[in-house]
Amino acid sequence: MKIFLTCFLILTCYYIQAQNKTKELYLGFTNFSLANTQIKYKFQIGKKVFFKTGLINIIGYSNSINYTGTNNYPTSRSGHSEGIELGLEWRKTIEKNVSFFHGINLSYTYSDDAKTIKNPQFNSAEQTDHITSQYFNIPYTIGLLWSITPNILMAIEVNPSISYGITKYKYGYDPFGRNRSMDSYNLNLNNRIGLLSVAYRF
């Protein structure tokens, strides 16, 4: 994770200062939802080639339920997710203000989900269960880019991917040794993982 962050920061700082190159800053919403946000920065490295860095899968949530029954206890749930992405993008002009783009990426995402049941029989540490996940992905981006004005852009894309995940389950109170980890491999070829973005070109 530290290596990814270091590369991300060095490349971003270096190319922000690049001269005479097209640069674009994107704000995107995965599955067209405000609940999952992405921020990406793209800069031109060739005639029709862009390099991109990004913060992806930015999610945060928290909720609680206050039960009144004698056998139920106040329950809360909270979590967060964040990731980084590096990639290359090739573009081809279709019409005057419309371009087709595609390219391969590498990404890493970390998430943590915590559920707390305030049962007074257990101390505070034993009341919370955690599920943490790490995902390593190789998405391939396919999309369309519209130039609304010379500086304002809109993009729509899908990202089929190959991924490897590590999920760890840690229970606060674990009398039966339920704590465990699980590896998973996924090949996602559907088009439901959509990203709608607005961008500023400078």
Side-chain angles (χ1 to χ4, degrees), residues 58-72:
I58 305 171
I59 304 173
Y61 57 89
S62 178
N63 57 67
S64 61
I65 302 173
N66 291 315
Y67 292 107
T68 58
T70 57
N71 296 322
N72 295 309

Side-chain angles (χ1 to χ4, degrees), residues 2-14 39-41 51-55 83-86:
K2 291 182 179 179
I3 294 176
F4 277 93
L5 285 173
T6 300
C7 292
F8 172 78
L9 291 172
I10 290 175
L11 288 168
T12 300
C13 292
Y14 177 81
I39 301 171
K40 295 183 180 180
Y41 175 71
F51 185 87
K52 63 182 177 182
T53 64
L55 301 175
I84 58 173
E85 181 179 82
L86 305 174

Side-chain angles (χ1 to χ4, degrees), residues 134-137 162-166 183-186:
Q134 298 181 75
Y135 290 99
F136 303 87
N137 297 281
I162 299 172
S163 66
Y164 168 68
I166 305 171
D183 296 353
S184 62
Y185 299 87
N186 294 289

Side-chain angles (χ1 to χ4, degrees), residues 6-199:
T6 300
C7 292
F8 172 78
L9 291 172
I10 290 175
L11 288 168
T12 300
C13 292
Y14 177 81
Y15 283 101
I16 282 178
Q17 300 177 16
Q19 300 296 319
N20 302 319
K21 296 290 185 180
T22 298
K23 296 179 283 290
E24 299 165 352
L25 184 63
Y26 286 74
L27 178 63
F29 308 101
T30 302
N31 290 332
F32 318 121
S33 169
L34 295 176
N36 191 337
T37 305
Q38 301 191 7
I39 301 171
K40 295 183 180 180
Y41 175 71
K42 302 179 182 181
F43 49 84
Q44 189 177 11
I45 60 174
K47 186 176 181 180
K48 294 290 184 179
V49 184
F50 284 71
F51 185 87
K52 63 182 177 182
T53 64
L55 301 175
I56 62 174
N57 299 325
I58 305 171
I59 304 173
Y61 57 89
S62 178
N63 57 67
S64 61
I65 302 173
N66 291 315
Y67 292 107
T68 58
T70 57
N71 296 322
N72 295 309
Y73 305 98
T75 301
S76 63
R77 188 167 186 174
S78 62
H80 61 89
S81 171
E82 54 277 326
I84 58 173
E85 181 179 82
L86 305 174
L88 290 174
E89 180 175 292
W90 288 267
R91 296 184 184 179
K92 180 179 181 180
T93 301
I94 299 176
E95 296 182 3
K96 181 179 179 181
N97 296 319
V98 181
S99 297
F100 169 78
F101 62 90
H102 65 97
I104 194 167
N105 314 283
L106 296 174
S107 69
Y108 168 82
T109 298
Y110 174 85
S111 66
D112 181 24
D113 179 86
K115 181 179 180 180
T116 301
I117 300 176
K118 295 183 178 179
N119 184 339
Q121 298 179 48
F122 307 113
N123 62 45
S124 57
E126 294 176 333
Q127 292 174 356
T128 302
D129 299 336
H130 281 274
I131 301 175
T132 59
S133 298
Q134 298 181 75
Y135 290 99
F136 303 87
N137 297 281
I138 305 177
Y140 198 93
T141 300
I142 303 170
L144 292 173
L145 180 67
W146 289 270
S147 297
I148 299 173
T149 72
N151 299 104
I152 304 299
L153 313 171
M154 179 173 289
I156 185 171
E157 66 187 64
V158 292
N159 293 276
S161 67
I162 299 172
S163 66
Y164 168 68
I166 305 171
T167 302
K168 294 184 178 181
Y169 301 84
K170 183 178 181 181
Y171 297 91
Y173 180 64
D174 186 29
F176 304 110
R178 295 179 299 162
N179 293 339
R180 67 189 191 278
S181 63
M182 180 177 66
D183 296 353
S184 62
Y185 299 87
N186 294 289
L187 176 61
N188 182 2
L189 297 178
N190 64 54
N191 61 0
R192 291 179 296 173
I193 303 178
L195 180 69
L196 177 66
S197 303
V198 292

